[in-house]
């Protein structure tokens, strides 16, 4: 069988099985191409006319269909903005919109914090986008930080990893705080397709309205931003809920799923001391 035929055949099986996409691809063909090519150890631009041995990827295809395991977990590999990351079930599969906004920033941050770093993907992309910046990355999960450490090593970045409940152990101030925190509301958690149930619940659930972590980040960010600093935070589908919860706050929306907020616009920022805070 030719490689291209194997991909088409796999895509038809995925369509028949009514899989859910959203972990790096958004359709049956791309998901099949990812699983088949990378399952065979081939690059994305492999010659589709070459012959392929279906039996070498059959077990992966069956697991994808029968157990609804995202392809990234089966391959232990996820791609974000053209960069490959090691992943396993200790972290969510990287797919943050923030990845695509870093290059458009209109300033050059010297100190960056990636709060809720998971696999470390956003911290690593930030370190690549701003060479010379000091990048810290934090997460509450020891398991996630082990995955992040592996990715930091692979990408040869200098990133300090910190285990912290949001800002609890964070010291000093940053020009840019990135965060893709858990933000799936409790009702939405109940309706998640099977694929998402392979991801750590700790990384997804954002409380009743999805804003549990976002509110805590908004409450703590001013203490950790430089006077000109900016918070960039992903909130998924919660834009309306956020507007209802913070009617007086002037959020900017580079994407529907991501807001940015200059320190001065963060609720209560003017009441927050500007001297560097110490860790608790
Ligand atoms: C949606 S994932 C984002 C991971 C990564 N930034 C990405 O974009 O792929 C959220 C992360 O927040 C972490 N997390 C959950 N509760 C936390 C808390 N209280 N403090 C810090 N991190 C937390 C989870 O362990 C998880 O890795």
């Amino acid at each position: 069988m030719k490689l291209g035929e194997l991909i088409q055949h796999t895509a038809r099986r995925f369509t028949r099985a009514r899989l859910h996409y959203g972990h790096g691809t958004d359709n049956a063909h791309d998901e099949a191409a990812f699983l088949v090519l990378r399952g065979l150890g081939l690059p994305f631009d492999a010659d589709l006319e070459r012959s392929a041995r279906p039996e070498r990827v059959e077990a992966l295809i069956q697991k994808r269909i029968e157990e609804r395991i995202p392809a990234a977990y089966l391959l232990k590999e996820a791609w974000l903005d053209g960069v490959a990351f090691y992943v396993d079930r200790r972290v969510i599969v990287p797919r943050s919109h923030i990845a695509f906004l870093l290059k458009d920033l209109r300033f050059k941050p010297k100190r960056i914090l990636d709060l809720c770093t998971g696999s470390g993907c956003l911290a690593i992309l930030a370190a690549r986008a701003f060479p010379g910046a000091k990048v810290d990355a934090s997460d509450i999960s020891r398991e996630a930080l082990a995955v992040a450490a592996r990715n930091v090593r692979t990408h040869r970045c200098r990133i300090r990893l910190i285990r912290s409940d949001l800002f609890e152990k964070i010291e000093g101030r940053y020009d840019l705080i990135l965060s893709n925190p858990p933000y799936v509301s409790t009702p939405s958690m109940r309706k998640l397709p099977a694929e998402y149930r392979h991801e750590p619940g700790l990384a997804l659930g954002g409380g009743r309205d999805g804003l549990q972590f976002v509110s805590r980040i908004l409450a703590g960010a001013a203490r950790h931003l430089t006077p000109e600093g900016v918070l960039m935070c992903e909130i998924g589908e919660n834009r309306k809920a956020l507007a209802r919860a913070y009617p007086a706050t002037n959020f900017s929306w580079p994407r529907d799923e991501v807001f940015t907020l200059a320190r001065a616009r963060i609720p209560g920022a003017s009441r927050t001391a500007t001297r560097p805070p110490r860790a608790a």
Side-chain angles (χ1 to χ4, degrees):
M1 189 184 257
K2 287 184 181 168
L3 182 58
E5 290 168 345
L6 176 56
I7 292 172
Q8 297 296 347
H9 178 68
T10 305
R12 283 195 293 276
R13 289 173 70 186
F14 285 177
T15 302
R16 273 199 304 277
R18 295 172 175 271
L19 298 187
H20 184 89
Y21 310 102
H23 292 91
T25 70
D26 62 5
N27 63 78
H29 179 271
D30 290 357
E31 182 87 350
F34 179 43
L35 196 60
V36 168
L37 291 173
R38 301 304 295 146
L40 292 170
L42 296 170
F44 292 118
D45 60 356
D47 178 6
L48 299 181
E49 293 297 311
R50 64 180 280 172
S51 67
R53 291 181 23 219
E55 66 276 14
R56 285 189 52 207
V57 282
E58 182 54 26
L60 289 175
I61 294 169
Q62 276 183 26
K63 269 186 181 271
R64 179 68 186 89
I65 291 174
E66 284 161 22
E67 298 176 42
R68 298 307 209 237
I69 300 174
Y73 286 150
L74 293 169
L75 297 167
K76 301 274 189 286
E77 173 186 286
W79 291 75
L80 187 62
D81 200 23
V83 178
F85 297 98
Y86 170 85
V87 291
D88 61 32
R89 289 182 56 179
R90 293 173 289 178
V91 295
I92 66 158
V93 177
R95 51 183 173 274
S96 170
H97 292 267
I98 290 175
F100 308 103
L101 297 170
L102 294 172
K103 291 181 194 126
D104 296 337
L105 272 189
R106 295 209 195 99
F107 67 105
K108 266 196 181 173
K110 294 199 194 81
R111 282 203 73 193
I112 302 171
L113 171 65
D114 173 20
L115 201 65
C116 302
T117 195
S119 60
C121 55
L122 294 179
I124 290 167
L125 290 175
R128 290 165 64 106
F130 303 105
K134 280 195 170 169
V135 182
D136 291 344
S138 68
D139 204 288
I140 199 168
S141 156
R142 227 184 266 284
E143 291 79 13
L145 287 171
V147 175
R150 179 172 176 157
N151 281 314
V152 165
R153 270 197 310 277
T154 304
H155 288 285
R156 297 169 187 274
C157 292
R158 277 226 195 124
I159 294 174
R160 189 164 57 134
L161 297 174
I162 304 165
R163 183 158 182 246
S164 176
D165 178 0
L166 294 186
F167 291 110
E168 195 186 9
K169 296 274 164 44
I170 304 298
E171 291 182 50
R173 292 185 184 269
Y174 299 86
D175 305 310
L176 177 64
I177 298 178
L178 308 170
S179 190
N180 179 21
Y183 57 66
V184 184
S185 68
T186 307
S188 301
M189 283 294 284
R190 289 193 203 106
K191 288 185 244 149
L192 283 180
E195 278 79 355
Y196 293 85
R197 302 192 190 285
H198 294 280
E199 299 193 296
L202 175 71
L204 298 176
R208 194 177 45 81
D209 60 359
L211 297 179
Q212 180 188 323
F213 292 92
V214 180
S215 305
R216 285 177 60 199
I217 290 169
L218 281 168
R223 290 183 67 232
H224 295 279
L225 282 168
T226 53
E228 306 297 319
V230 171
L231 168 67
M232 180 181 278
C233 184
E234 184 148 341
I235 60 158
E237 295 174 348
N238 299 325
R239 183 169 171 171
K240 281 191 186 145
L242 190 73
R244 276 196 300 275
Y246 296 89
T249 304
N250 201 354
F251 296 98
S252 298
W253 294 94
R255 290 198 173 195
D256 265 353
E257 302 84 357
V258 179
F259 72 77
T260 61
L261 203 55
R263 183 185 185 280
R265 289 185 177 181
I266 293 177
S270 56
R271 294 194 300 277
T272 311
T274 46
R275 121 186 105 74
R278 296 190 65 77

